[in-house]
Amino acid sequence: MQDLIDQLRRIVGDTNVFTHDDPEADLGAWEQDWRKRTRGRALAVVRPGSTRQVAEVVQACAAAGTSIVPQGGNTGLVVGSIPNDSGTQVVLSLQRMSAVRNVDPGNSTITVEAGCILQNLQDAAEKAGFLFPLSLGAEGSCTIGGNLATNAGGTQVVRYGNARELCLGVEVVTAQGEIWDGLSGLRKDNTGYDLRDLFIGSEGTLGIITAATVKLFPQPAAQLTAWAPVASLDDAVKLLVLAHQRLGAGLTGFEVMGQFALSLVDKHYPQLRVPMWKDAPWCVLLENSDSESEDHARSQFESLLEAALEQGLVSDAVVAENIAQAHNLWHVRESITLAQAEEGLNIKHDISIPVSRIPEFVRQTDAALAAAIPGVRFVNFGHLGDGNLHYNIQAPAEGDPKAFLREQEEHVNTIVYDAVQQFDGSISAEHGVGELKRHKLVKHKSPVALSMMRAIKTALDPQGLMNPGRVL
Ligand code: FAD
Ligand code: 2HG
Ligand code: ZN
């Protein structure tokens, strides 16, 4: 192993290889998952500075038979970006590869390296007079490479689609250490299998994304945010249909938040002043982006909310008066994950169900869980506009949450995922499979689909060295 480490040092330089042999080095940030559920132990953490260096690192690891865990911002929620505990894996961090390579205004595209932090990509797009719409709570630390590797969703999917829909081309280092320049800015290209789409959502199991060309959009002239309590999820779904009808492509966000989820934000971040959370079991956050003007956006939004009031879908609503108020509403929404972490260990289910069936799914699954585990608490929220619910479970207020997880997690997951299957849903809407859901995938994905996935994995990574133990 020392030979490999010496070789890695020659490729990326001494200061970009970290090992446990160095008493000064703290590998914790690369070895610990964001949710603090699991800590692995790496043979080494390597930070290449160019695609060529990534290719050489992969070649050296392949020759040594050493497996690689690609890592971006390490914000993933399914344990996919940290090493296992064997002390034999190399973490390949894309942190240093963060450059914006090129903006093509005429083509409405931007090309960036994989380690570019999402927020920096959004800022670069804005500076060029465009919008890059991918948006999620972790945007200050996640990377575009990680976003693509997990096909991240976020809060603008209802209008702009997932990371996959936003990507036109990728540059990849294959499991053999070859460089594939697939950085196409083409919107149409039917020359055979879609290799780009194979790597998107592959969670580092097929190769390493080193750069990407993504779509840019016009910046909206005005963006308004509204918040409305609703009496039921059925009403929230009716409000969504109405919002689609009234706002058309202007509807850029439609989030739903359960009362207990908001109570946790209120408890742990009282300075955020969560609005109206005591008034109803659910609150909805809507966003209207308009290409004309703020007046036009406001009058459209007001007429939507009046219609919703008339139809009895909402009893009250606020439209943010200015950008600061709008930011605060979004801040409340984006703080649920952190508030839930503050509250303690929890079980996450990032699921999708046909939108129309979500209310019935929640009624049925809440009842099944409450009957099976008295006192269980539901932290439900998510991207209702995409049929994507974060159907999360917090341990009962009394008792030891660690013991709860140990004793009940599998039981809870079985109840939830069996219900997801019954409702024709997916057990991973946007976070991916990682290590956490791998054993569940075998149960909930069709054998034919799994066998095609395994064939792809074997064809592209015959040695099985790319992020083993994840997804498949
Ligand atoms: P990492 O966590 O480093 O890696 C994730 C996976 O991708 C791993 O399997 C890793 O091996 C692989 N990978 C990373 N970089 C590369 C690369 N260059 N090439 C190949 N494989 C690679 N997700 C959503 O979809 N929607 C949300 O709304 C959302 N909100 C979040 C909010 C918070 C507070 C947090 C902590 C997470 C949230 N996430 C969300 C999950 C996570 O942030 C996203 O999945 C994000 O896309 C991961 O990016 P990353 O750079 O941190 O990737
Ligand atoms: C979000 O939508 C993220 O905020 C995180 O996908 C979801 O914490 C979660 O379960
Ligand atoms: Zn989400």
Side-chain angles (χ1 to χ4, degrees):
M1 285 305 163
Q2 193 53 48
D3 283 357
L4 174 63
I5 289 169
D6 291 343
Q7 209 179 340
L8 296 176
R9 287 192 204 284
R10 280 196 294 277
I11 297 167
V12 299
D14 283 351
T15 52
N16 288 305
V17 177
F18 304 87
T19 70
H20 286 282
D21 291 341
D22 176 359
E24 303 274 285
D26 178 5
L27 277 61
W30 295 289
E31 292 180 333
Q32 172 82 62
D33 78 309
W34 190 89
R35 292 171 67 192
K36 301 208 169 15
R37 286 180 60 115
T38 313
R39 174 146 187 182
R41 186 176 171 84
L43 171 70
V45 175
V46 183
R47 301 195 312 157
S50 67
T51 302
R52 168 60 44 208
Q53 286 185 3
V54 173
E56 286 176 22
V57 168
V58 173
Q59 285 163 16
C61 289
T66 295
S67 59
I68 295 178
V69 182
Q71 189 180 96
N74 198 16
T75 67
L77 299 173
V78 291
V79 187
S81 49
I82 56 161
N84 62 26
D85 59 8
S86 65
T88 62
Q89 297 189 302
V90 165
V91 173
L92 192 155
S93 165
L94 280 299
Q95 273 168 336
R96 287 176 64 222
M97 292 182 59
S98 59
V100 174
R101 285 194 190 163
N102 174 40
V103 181
D104 183 345
N107 199 37
S108 297
T109 52
I110 184 168
T111 300
V112 294
E113 290 183 341
C116 182
I117 303 277
L118 176 56
Q119 202 165 59
N120 296 343
L121 171 45
Q122 294 165 345
D123 291 347
E126 192 180 337
K127 212 169 132 203
F130 288 92
L131 168 78
F132 181 62
L134 187 66
S135 178
L136 41 115
E139 64 199 22
S141 39
C142 66
T143 63
I144 188 65
N147 301 147
L148 290 168
T150 56
N151 187 24
T155 54
Q156 303 276 293
V157 175
V158 69
R159 163 70 176 85
Y160 297 101
N162 296 300
R164 183 186 302 284
E165 279 84 53
L166 300 173
C167 181
L168 291 173
V170 286
E171 176 187 85
V172 165
V173 169
T174 68
Q176 291 72 36
E178 298 155 318
I179 298 170
W180 172 50
D181 180 353
L183 280 178
S184 161
L186 299 176
R187 283 169 171 78
K188 288 189 162 185
D189 179 9
N190 281 350
T191 51
Y193 306 137
D194 197 328
L195 299 175
R196 169 198 65 202
D197 274 358
L198 264 187
F199 289 98
I200 297 176
S202 66
E203 300 182 46
T205 62
L206 299 180
I208 296 166
I209 299 170
T210 49
T213 299
V214 295
K215 294 180 192 169
L216 297 176
F217 295 81
Q219 286 174 356
Q223 212 163 33
L224 290 181
T225 307
W227 183 282
V230 289
S232 67
L233 274 177
D234 302 271
D235 285 349
V237 170
K238 286 182 194 151
L239 180 61
L240 171 67
V241 173
L242 190 67
H244 273 305
Q245 285 165 354
R246 296 292 177 110
L247 304 178
L251 181 68
T252 46
F254 196 100
E255 299 286 312
V256 72
M257 296 148 289
Q259 192 169 42
F260 183 62
L262 290 175
S263 81
L264 292 182
V265 179
D266 182 69
K267 176 177 167 187
H268 296 289
Y269 306 107
Q271 71 280 12
L272 290 181
R273 297 164 171 269
V274 182
M276 296 189 274
W277 68 271
K278 288 185 182 155
D279 299 355
W282 299 91
C283 283
V284 168
L285 180 59
L286 305 97
E287 187 183 75
N288 180 23
S289 299
D290 194 277
S291 54
E292 276 187 49
S293 66
E294 172 145 359
D295 284 351
H296 185 253
R298 203 167 281 279
S299 76
Q300 254 195 336
F301 226 14
E302 280 167 3
S303 90
L304 162 68
L305 293 170
E306 271 163 32
L309 280 164
E310 270 167 30
Q311 292 177 27
L313 301 178
V314 301
S315 52
D316 198 359
V318 284
V319 178
E321 285 298 324
N322 50 45
I323 290 174
Q325 276 181 17
H327 278 174
N328 195 59
L329 294 177
W330 277 109
H331 198 174
V332 170
R333 159 62 185 89
E334 300 290 18
S335 299
I336 298 175
T337 301
L338 295 161
Q340 208 192 351
E342 290 287 338
E343 187 69 8
L345 288 171
N346 53 67
I347 307 175
K348 288 188 188 294
H349 305 102
D350 159 43
I351 58 175
S352 57
I353 307 276
V355 178
S356 54
R357 303 184 71 190
I358 281 188
E360 187 50 29
F361 168 85
V362 171
R363 264 191 295 275
Q364 185 181 307
T365 316
D366 279 7
L369 282 167
I373 308 163
V376 78
R377 298 178 294 167
F378 301 97
V379 185
N380 283 343
F381 63 103
H383 319 287
L384 189 68
D386 320 322
N388 176 190
L389 212 56
H390 298 304
Y391 187 85
N392 295 346
I393 302 298
Q394 202 83 32
E398 310 298 326
D400 172 13
K402 271 197 185 138
F404 172 78
L405 236 66
R406 204 172 45 245
E407 289 155 19
Q408 299 287 5
E409 181 162 22
E410 199 54 33
H411 186 196
V412 167
N413 288 346
T414 301
I415 293 174
V416 175
Y417 292 143
D418 284 356
V420 167
Q421 183 151 344
Q422 188 199 331
F423 280 79
D424 301 320
S426 166
I427 65 163
S428 174
E430 59 171 7
H431 296 163
V433 176
E435 193 171 294
L436 274 189
K437 297 190 187 175
R438 189 168 81 115
H439 65 296
K440 290 292 179 189
L441 198 68
V442 181
K443 183 171 170 199
H444 295 284
K445 196 126 183 138
S446 89
V448 179
L450 282 170
S451 110
M452 287 193 282
M453 283 170 65
R454 289 193 188 106
I456 291 166
K457 169 77 176 167
T458 309
L460 294 191
D461 179 23
Q463 282 182 277
L465 296 180
M466 296 305 308
N467 216 359
R470 274 70 199 255
V471 185
L472 286 170

